[in-house]
Amino acid sequence: MRLHKLTLTAFGPFGAPQEVDFDALSSAGIFLLHGPTGAGKTSVLDAVCYGLYGAVPGARQSPGTSLRSDHAPVDLPTEVCLELTVGGRRLEITRRPAQPRPKKRGGGFTTEKAQSRLREYQPEHGWKALSRSHQEIGEEIGGLVGMSRDQFCQVVLLPQGDFARFLRADAEARGKLLGRLFDTRRFAAVEERLAELRRAAEARVKAGDEQILALAQRIAQAAGPAADEPAPPDARPGEPGLAEEVLQWAAVARSGAAERSDIARCLLAGAEDRAAAARRALETERELARLQQRYEETRRRAAGLEDRRAERDRCHEQLARARKADLVAPALDLRDEAERTHRTAVAARERSRAGLPPELAEAGFEQLAGTERGLRAELGALDAAQRAERRSREIDTERSRLERQSRSDDELIQEAAQWLAGWDATHRSLRERVETAQEAATRAEQLAGRLDPARRRLEAARRRDALGLREEAAAAALTAARERAVEAHEKWLTLREQRLRGIAAELAGRLVDGVACTVCGSAEHPEPARAEDGHVDRATEEAALAAHQRADRERAEAENELGVVRERLAAARAEAADPEDVDGATGTAGRSHASVAALQAVVERLTQEHAEAHRLAAGTHAAREALAAAEREHLGRLDDRQQAERRGAARTSQREALDREQSALEAELVKARGDCGSVAEHAELLERRAGLLADAAEALRAEQDAAERLKEADGRLADAAFRAGFATPQAAAAKLLGDTAQRELQHRIDAWQTEAATVADRLAEEDARAAAGRPPAEPDAAQEAYDRSARMLRDSAAVHAAAEERGAELARLSRRAEEEVRALGPLRQEYERVARLAGLTAGTSADNERKMRLEAYVLAARLEQVAAAATARLQRMSAGRYTLVHSDERSGGRRAGLGLHVVDSWTGRERDTATLSGGETFFASLALALGLADVVTDEAGGVRLDTLFIDEGFGSLDDQTLDEVLDVLDSLRERDRSVGIVSHVADLRRRIPAQLEVVKERHGSAVVHRAAGTLSG
């Protein structure tokens, strides 16, 4: 990478545009960048870095630091343009930071966004634009240079102070710098990943062991208490041999359960036999008691039948006579019906004759019918007169209708005139009502936009106050939980220590004569230890441990609860401090700690104003409808008035025509009315007289027919009674019974006969007669014996079922334990493999002889390369005296592999680089910087660095050493490199002809080029 030209505009201390020609400065190989303190020498290097990466080096890229020059005019934008060759391509990068600029319209300033531009020079086409995207330009330059911004600042802009500190630093500081330059984060990530895998594998193994122990406890619970069986294994998760011990103990538990199940099965078989015998004896006694009771009941029923035989005979005779009387019943019914009809006909005849004239009171049927026909003929002659009378009434109705219409139209015209007189005022009022409602709708929308934020902020303030109380309560609960956890932990440790002091007595409690001791192996136990007063057993210790773990969980839960409450409280405070919630009355933004009462008052006021505006706005539609209805009514009233005036003219003609027709009809009606008030009354009178005559004739004919039918019914009834065997019809009627009474008699007869047949059948049963001859049965005693055997059977079945269930549960849990053990094998192997790798990379494994972490090992290899590259230049600078070597020994007892020593050829001894003098430290650090630049360049993909900058440090050298250092720097020209030295040393101005001077002036700094006695600005 070679720099060609740098153009600065309003950047840093440079108020006016400045241009740095690196091609002219680099032609001499070495050039000097000098100037007074604060002139802006470092700003030139910052501009190079900003042009490449869009940011300045290190601490100078702070948030409050502005790149814009305070000396620049307001209309001159800040800009950096860098032209360079990298990767065989000549590029131009132009960057502008975000900066204020005057507004194009009006006063004040506006912030202009940052801008970037990348161009490439092509010999056949000239400059060609490539991109204006910050991200694309950054990716393009990063790929070509092959270094990050930190790496570029370390290997191109060589800060000597940093490398002097690097020489004197401990291994930790060197590791941080090398890790930043060579990006060894991936190796640290490998270490962390392996550590995570180890922890995860360890957790899975521990969880598997805990699962196996939990299964062992469940097996112990399923096996139940048994004095002849060993206790479950006493082990911790992760102890060797745990799985095998659990499986062996589970096999012993299953064997014991199988033996108890066999015993329970034998007991159950005996109980079943005894229960079956008792059941058979109980059934025999119950059957004997049933037969004896049945026989006795049958004898009682036979005696009762004999007592009811006379009643049965009476019912039979009564039913036979009633069935004979049923033969006469139809004739009796017919005669009764004929008599009722005759009486009804006689009464109707008398009623019809009561309304006749005296001369017709005794008239016969023919006379009555002839008189009726005469009246009917006279009535027919009145039909035309009735029609004329109806038309006369219709004319009167029409004339009345016309009068009503006339009055109605007059009222309508008068009302319309009154309404139209106030139309202008009504129309104006309705228009104002619509406008008022529309304005209220607009205000309601504005208030709704302010009301929702105010409500949210009020709710947030309420949550904030509530959460503040919850935070205090959670903090108090956390303090209490921590105290309880500490107390429980101390109690557990105390009990554990007491148990360990008396563990000998606990082990002695398990000794059995003749059985070898698990500690010493002896089968004899002459003086076993005895438990002292206050001895703590295992159950007490485990209870204390469980209490400690429970208290620790409660403490963790309390911490989590406090964290959640504080997060919610912070969110509620942030929401309650919304600056957009503005008090409409005062116009001030809501404060971050506004009280709930104040916010409630704002919400209530806005709610009232919104409700009032909404109420008024709700009438918008009604107001518009009222206005439209009024306009429609206005048009309708105008039309109604015109229609009423036209109808009035038409009614005058109708009245005249009706008057003429009424006069013609009146002469005809006077003749047809006779003595009656109207033709209709005359016709109604004739119709009524004709109806009376017709009714009287019909009643007389009906009475004659009814008398004939009554006479015929009397003859039929006498004949039917004689054939049925009764002397008179009255005797037959006395024996009649209804259907219900006959069915009741028949049911009683059938019931007696059915009972007699049943009793006869049961008296013929042989087993009942035989049972009656045996001693009385005793079912209660048999029931008691059966109940005792059933209880014994249930108890035996329960014991057997429990044994079977225990055996099945033990088998199932044992299978699960075997499955867990098999599944834990691969997990344990994976854990051992991952643990070995994690220990090796973390430097804790015994296989890692130097106890070096993986990242430190990689950094040590890089440091060894840097020391070798730096030695080539250090020997020339020191006249062959010093050599830099890398050391794998621990530095300061903290990190191995990052030691750096210097070998003095005059003494032949190796010593620490911190023992070098000031001048020796300078050229050693310079050699180290140049060597590091070579190694980082190779690491970045072999990108050639043709321009380097060295910042200060030359003032500590004597003349001879300075010449040697300049010779080394001058030798870089052999590789076509140029080196820029940033220094205050006056002697360098004589030794280095190519110079770039930064001049500090009142109105901003400026750059001046000097080359071989020439001066250019």
Side-chain angles (χ1 to χ4, degrees), residues 464-744:
R464 177 198 64 199
D465 295 348
L467 288 172
L469 299 177
R470 285 187 60 187
E471 181 190 22
E472 296 176 0
L478 175 59
T479 302
R482 285 174 175 169
E483 293 176 355
R484 291 195 298 271
V486 171
E487 292 175 358
H489 186 241
E490 292 177 352
K491 181 178 179 181
W492 171 62
L493 293 178
T494 302
L495 292 176
R496 180 177 178 83
E497 184 178 358
Q498 292 177 3
R499 183 191 173 205
L500 291 176
R501 287 198 299 267
I503 197 67
E506 186 174 335
L507 294 174
R510 301 180 183 179
L511 296 176
V512 179
D513 292 336
V515 179
C517 175
T518 58
V519 179
C520 65
S522 174
E524 298 180 357
H525 318 297
E527 295 182 0
R530 299 183 181 276
E532 298 178 355
D533 293 340
H535 173 66
V536 177
D537 57 5
R538 177 184 177 185
T540 304
E541 181 195 351
E542 290 182 348
L545 175 59
H548 159 56
Q549 293 173 345
R550 184 168 56 255
D552 194 59
R553 287 194 300 271
E554 292 175 355
R555 176 195 56 75
E557 292 173 356
E559 289 179 349
N560 184 48
E561 176 66 18
L562 180 58
V564 171
V565 171
R566 283 176 174 171
E567 289 179 2
R568 293 178 179 175
L569 178 58
R573 284 173 175 169
E575 188 174 356
D578 186 0
E580 296 182 359
D581 182 13
V582 178
D583 189 334
T586 63
T588 59
R591 299 179 180 176
S592 59
H593 297 290
S595 65
V596 173
L599 294 175
Q600 179 68 35
V602 173
V603 171
E604 289 177 355
R605 178 178 53 76
L606 291 176
T607 301
Q608 292 175 358
E609 293 178 359
H610 177 264
E612 178 63 21
H614 188 270
R615 184 185 63 78
L616 294 175
T620 303
H621 180 72
R624 290 175 178 172
E625 288 294 328
L627 177 60
E631 292 175 346
R632 289 194 300 270
E633 186 176 0
H634 174 254
L635 296 176
R637 285 185 180 271
L638 291 175
D639 183 66
D640 291 344
R641 185 172 64 179
Q642 295 174 358
Q643 294 293 335
E645 292 173 349
R646 286 195 294 267
R647 287 195 300 270
R651 279 194 296 271
T652 301
S653 300
Q654 292 179 2
R655 287 194 188 97
E656 294 176 353
L658 292 175
D659 290 342
R660 290 192 297 271
E661 186 178 1
Q662 181 73 30
S663 298
L665 292 175
E666 188 62 30
E668 180 182 355
L669 292 176
V670 170
K671 180 181 178 180
R673 289 191 188 106
D675 296 334
C676 297
S678 65
V679 177
E681 291 180 1
H682 190 196
E684 183 179 356
L685 176 62
L686 295 178
E687 180 68 29
R688 186 166 55 254
R689 289 176 179 176
L692 290 174
L693 292 172
D695 293 340
E698 180 62 26
L700 179 60
R701 186 175 59 80
E703 186 270 337
Q704 294 173 354
D705 292 341
E708 291 294 331
R709 287 196 296 273
L710 177 60
K711 182 178 180 180
E712 183 181 355
D714 286 337
R716 291 181 178 178
L717 175 60
D719 184 60
F722 176 77
R723 287 197 300 271
F726 293 98
T728 62
Q730 290 75 16
K735 297 299 182 181
L736 284 174
L737 291 177
D739 293 340
T740 302
Q742 292 186 22
R743 285 196 297 272
E744 179 64 24

Side-chain angles (χ1 to χ4, degrees), residues 246-357:
V246 170
L247 293 180
Q248 293 175 2
W249 176 81
V252 173
R254 289 200 307 275
S255 177
E259 293 178 0
R260 290 193 293 273
S261 179
D262 293 340
I263 295 172
R265 187 182 300 107
C266 295
L267 294 176
L268 177 62
E272 288 176 346
D273 293 341
R274 289 190 295 273
R279 185 185 303 108
R280 289 192 296 272
L282 176 61
E283 291 174 354
T284 300
E285 288 298 318
R286 284 178 175 174
E287 181 64 17
L288 177 61
R290 185 186 68 82
L291 292 175
Q292 290 177 347
Q293 184 179 2
R294 181 181 178 85
Y295 187 77
E296 188 65 27
E297 180 185 359
T298 302
R299 295 187 57 177
R300 286 196 302 272
R301 291 170 65 180
L305 282 175
E306 289 299 325
D307 293 340
R308 298 197 304 273
R309 182 180 293 277
E311 180 184 0
R312 177 256 180 192
D313 294 340
R314 287 193 301 272
C315 290
H316 190 274
E317 181 181 0
Q318 185 177 2
L319 180 61
R321 295 183 65 83
R323 287 176 176 172
K324 288 182 179 180
D326 287 343
L327 299 176
V328 186
L332 286 171
D333 294 339
L334 182 61
R335 198 267 177 191
D336 291 340
E337 179 64 25
E339 185 178 6
R340 286 194 299 273
T341 302
H342 181 260
R343 286 197 300 270
T344 301
V346 171
R349 183 198 65 186
E350 295 300 326
R351 286 195 302 272
S352 64
R353 287 184 179 274
L356 295 177

Side-chain angles (χ1 to χ4, degrees), residues 222 282 410 450 453 479 697 781 812 865 923 983 991:
L282 176 61
D410 292 341
R450 295 170 55 195
T479 302
R812 186 182 66 82
Q865 295 175 355
F923 58 70
S983 178
R991 296 172 182 264

